Amino acid sequence: STQSTWEVAANQLPTTMAGKTQVQQYLNTECLQPFTHPVEMEFSYVHQNQKYVLKLPLPLVVSRFLEPLKMTSNDQFFQTWRTTVCDPSPAESIVFRTGEPIDVAQNLVLLGGLHFFLMRAVDNNPDNTVGCAQFICKTQQPLPVLLNVEANLKAMAIRLTVKCPDRVLGAAVTEVVKQVLGAV
């Protein structure tokens, strides 16, 4: 990720440590804009006069910066869907196979864990779900993120449509949802 995507502050560590000791490193991380890859922290140390450098990705995914966006009716969802300007336009759908039978109830739990406000019975297929969230970061207004998950139980496949005004954010949310719902 680029330097301008994150602000990371860390507590100062001692310059030397005895063998077999541990020190906790506290990090305060703020997201400045949509991202696809988590921040990498570079750790370096010297052991027996040899310098070692480790680059470790922090476990920060885009859903960590989503908040549920409550919709009070199907009409409100459809109005928001129609008025959300998308990049790229129109919203792109992907179809992926799950490799195992789809558990719609489990998918609801998983999508809720990604911080989406979930709505059922928005269309005629009871296996479909829509979700609404907003992406919160330090330097921009909240960005709406809408998704439509259409489950084809017989084919063990899902059609996923993510609609949001930011291309990077849309790609990141699509990837996280695919992983969580078991794309193979």
Side-chain angles (χ1 to χ4, degrees):
S1 59
T2 64
Q3 196 78 333
S4 62
T5 303
W6 302 97
E7 274 185 10
V8 179
N11 62 315
Q12 190 66 34
L13 294 177
T15 56
T16 59
M17 293 173 45
K20 298 184 181 182
T21 60
Q22 295 182 9
V23 175
Q24 260 186 329
Q25 174 75 61
Y26 293 99
L27 301 174
N28 183 24
T29 307
E30 289 189 89
C31 179
L32 302 179
Q33 63 186 14
F35 63 95
T36 53
H37 301 291
V39 67
E40 281 189 343
M41 293 297 293
E42 187 173 288
F43 297 91
S44 62
Y45 64 96
V46 177
H47 176 67
Q48 295 180 343
N49 293 326
Q50 171 118 14
K51 185 173 183 175
Y52 296 90
V53 177
L54 301 171
K55 287 188 177 186
L56 303 173
L58 296 179
L60 297 172
V61 292
V62 70
S63 60
R64 169 62 183 88
F65 301 95
L66 295 178
E67 290 182 357
L69 180 60
K70 187 169 170 84
M71 300 279 171
T72 57
S73 69
N74 292 355
D75 289 340
Q76 183 185 13
F77 174 80
F78 286 121
Q79 177 66 23
T80 305
W81 185 273
R82 282 191 296 275
T83 59
T84 298
V85 177
C86 192
D87 178 22
S89 188
E92 295 180 8
S93 295
I94 61 162
V95 176
F96 60 91
R97 295 176 104 30
T98 59
E100 57 186 54
I102 296 170
D103 183 339
V104 175
Q106 179 65 22
N107 283 357
L108 287 172
V109 171
L110 294 171
L111 291 169
L114 295 177
H115 305 186
F116 281 94
F117 175 77
L118 302 175
M119 299 176 70
R120 299 291 311 272
V122 173
D123 66 21
N124 294 332
N125 185 340
D127 299 326
N128 295 348
T129 303
V130 299
C132 317
Q134 56 186 353
F135 179 79
I136 306 295
C137 65
K138 185 176 180 180
T139 60
Q140 297 179 355
Q141 292 292 324
L143 297 171
V145 180
L146 306 172
L147 63 86
N148 185 17
V149 178
E150 301 170 75
N152 182 332
L153 302 182
K154 286 177 86 173
M156 294 189 300
I158 291 176
R159 178 178 180 186
L160 171 65
T161 307
V162 175
K163 189 168 187 185
C164 69
D166 185 274
R167 178 186 310 253
V168 171
L169 179 59
V173 169
T174 297
E175 193 56 38
V176 168
V177 172
K178 274 176 45 182
Q179 288 177 8
V180 165
L181 295 183
V184 292

